[in-house]
Amino acid sequence: MTCFRPILAAAGAVALASSAIAGPGPVERVRAAAAAAVKEPRAQDYRGAIQTYAYVEGGVYRLVTAPEHITDIALEPGEALVAVAAGDTARWTVGDTTSGAGEARRVHIMIKPLAPGLATNLIITTDRRVYHLALASTARTAMSAVSWTYPHDSLLAIERAASATRAAVEARPAIDPVHLDFSYAIRGDKPAWRPLRAFDDGRQVFIEFPATLGQGEAPPLFVTGEGNSPELVNYRVSGRFYVVDRLFERAELRHGTKRQTVVRIVRVGPGASR
């Protein structure tokens, strides 16, 4: 039997060397991955009593609790709860409720440990995403509430809005300067914001103001007709232009209350002075 001992010893040394070359085992790798995924609370991420995490898919969010304290997990407004599952349901109390109504309706998950020194995990599934939380309990320290911001979703919304705007601009026929109609006269008072000119492209009216328009209060625009009372019209401000998404024959810009400043924009025949 003694002749096999060197061989066995050598085999053991080879196994140890192979283990060292292979690196950490499955348990160590799982622990390292789990530790890397945990998002810890930070002082700068508090909004009042609420710890706000930036949601990242696959992240694990730390939740510190204490006996005789309830910690509120607030989901995104409008997000519908599907299920909640805790690793330890015997020593943790888990419940849910809602606040608000309609689009502002919000789900809240309530967490309370029965003793300090506990640890477990919590998984929340909704109609939008999955939340993974690492729960721990202390004797006195507890987080009052936790919520999330959703930067990825916000970026997608901005990108969708930008794409929609680009598509609308591309779908709109190009404006041919030859077809612009400048047959509008500017009349009435002469304040500093008096328009320089007005013109239309057959669909919209553009009112051009001096560059100083943004330095004061912009006057509201009213459309007037023969014998009709002035009607406030929808328009948008683009740089120093008012853009009105309709044509009109007469309009007024009014400013002030006791003594109003009134500037009239009147559509006239071709070749009229402007």
Side-chain angles (χ1 to χ4, degrees), residues 108-238:
H108 300 263
I109 311 298
M110 305 299 183
I111 301 291
K112 185 177 73 171
L114 300 183
L118 304 179
T120 190
N121 71 313
L122 186 77
I123 299 175
I124 303 169
T125 58
T126 74
D127 61 340
R128 297 179 182 176
R129 54 187 65 89
V130 178
Y131 300 86
H132 296 265
L133 295 100
L135 311 184
S137 66
T138 69
R140 295 182 180 85
T141 303
M143 298 162 70
S144 298
V146 170
S147 68
W148 285 265
T149 59
Y150 305 90
H152 182 260
D153 291 6
S154 299
L155 288 174
L156 287 178
I158 292 171
E159 289 174 359
R160 283 194 294 266
S163 297
T165 301
R166 286 193 298 269
V169 170
E170 291 169 359
R172 178 180 172 180
I175 296 176
D176 186 351
V178 174
H179 296 141
L180 293 180
D181 186 355
F182 288 86
S183 299
Y184 292 85
I186 309 297
R187 298 171 179 168
D189 296 330
K190 297 182 179 181
W193 48 261
R194 180 185 171 103
L196 303 176
R197 63 185 61 84
F199 56 92
D200 71 66
D201 63 356
R203 189 173 63 89
Q204 297 174 310
V205 177
F206 301 84
I207 304 170
E208 183 182 359
F209 289 85
T212 56
L213 175 67
Q215 298 175 8
E217 185 177 352
L221 179 69
F222 299 84
V223 169
T224 59
E226 293 289 348
N228 296 329
S229 58
E231 175 188 351
L232 189 65
V233 66
N234 290 329
Y235 61 90
R236 61 183 183 278
V237 180
S238 178

Side-chain angles (χ1 to χ4, degrees), residues 48-125:
I50 302 176
Q51 165 72 40
T52 304
Y53 287 113
Y55 182 84
V56 178
E57 187 174 358
V60 180
Y61 304 93
R62 180 78 68 192
L63 194 68
V64 180
T65 65
E68 301 180 6
H69 292 270
I70 293 178
T71 298
D72 172 21
I73 302 171
L75 304 185
E76 185 180 25
E79 189 171 15
L81 178 66
V82 176
V84 180
D88 181 355
T89 57
R91 297 180 296 176
W92 295 79
T93 301
V94 181
D96 65 271
T97 186
T98 61
S99 66
E103 294 182 356
R105 185 176 182 274
R106 194 168 194 177
V107 174
H108 300 263
I109 311 298
M110 305 299 183
I111 301 291
K112 185 177 73 171
L114 300 183
L118 304 179
T120 190
N121 71 313
L122 186 77
I123 299 175
I124 303 169
T125 58

